[in-house]
Amino acid sequence: SGTMGAAGTAYLMGVPAIALSQAHRHGDVHWDTAREHGEVLVRRLVGGGDWPAGFVPNINFPPVGPEEVTGYEVTEQGNGVLSIGIETRMDPRGKEYHWMRFGRGQVGQSEEADISAIKRGAVSITPIGFDRTDRAGVGICRAGIQQCQDGVWRFGEGACIWAAGACGSQQIPET
């Protein structure tokens, strides 16, 4: 979401941030739900101690009135499907321009997903992290990289990553 994008940008700039979004149905927006429950949640999160590096809470309020909220749930990020369409339009001066239209859909959401909690009428709190490193992949890559006698790094028995001599006497750092 754009809200999460803004909170993520704040994080990247070293500013702690929380993303707050109000879900709605067909333009019927229950802003009072976010107003009533948002302050409570923000105070609890901020008062909860030091945040780990890379942590940005994403809070989504359900499309119901504040009295209809069924509770607060810590959730996982759901899976969404994004479709993109391009429409050709004319501006008021008769100039053609192109508008990108984005559509959202849902596929196989788990019960722990944010969208599932929102459908149940709950406020969803999803801790989002920004380290996209595949930890299992790191181990696989480290196990497969070898230094050949001629100083060429190779991945397993496959092709060279760099040309002969390009890696010199570098060692792959252990972390």
Side-chain angles (χ1 to χ4, degrees):
S1 73
T3 306
M4 193 57 222
T9 299
Y11 156 76
L12 293 172
M13 297 178 73
V15 178
I18 300 173
L20 302 163
S21 298
Q22 175 64 60
H24 61 89
R25 288 192 186 117
H26 312 293
D28 185 18
V29 183
H30 292 276
W31 293 114
D32 48 337
T33 302
R35 276 192 292 272
E36 186 170 316
H37 293 278
E39 181 180 357
V40 172
L41 282 170
V42 168
R43 288 187 186 278
R44 287 181 183 177
L45 287 169
V46 171
D50 293 333
W51 290 5
F55 170 67
V56 178
N58 183 25
I59 300 173
N60 288 283
F61 300 95
V64 298
E67 68 285 348
E68 298 172 82
V69 170
T70 59
Y72 302 153
E73 295 184 28
V74 177
T75 57
E76 299 173 355
Q77 185 175 14
N79 297 317
V81 175
L82 185 65
S83 63
I84 301 173
I86 299 183
E87 298 174 6
T88 301
R89 299 180 179 181
M90 298 295 264
D91 74 12
R93 298 166 298 184
K95 302 277 185 186
E96 187 177 271
Y97 71 98
H98 305 284
W99 185 264
M100 291 182 72
R101 183 179 28 83
F102 297 93
R104 295 184 183 182
Q106 298 159 23
V107 293
Q109 303 296 329
S110 75
E111 286 300 306
E112 291 79 31
D114 48 6
I115 191 70
S116 297
I118 292 167
K119 285 181 176 181
R120 290 190 291 273
V123 176
S124 165
I125 304 121
T126 308
I128 301 292
F130 283 86
D131 181 355
R132 306 264 314 173
T133 305
D134 182 329
R135 300 292 173 210
V138 168
I140 291 167
C141 289
R142 283 199 178 126
I145 293 177
Q146 302 170 359
Q147 184 175 15
C148 300
Q149 292 179 354
D150 61 357
V152 177
W153 289 104
R154 299 182 184 276
F155 185 80
E157 299 299 319
C160 297
I161 295 175
W162 293 300
C167 64
S169 61
Q170 292 177 323
Q171 298 294 314
I172 296 176
E174 293 292 327
T175 57

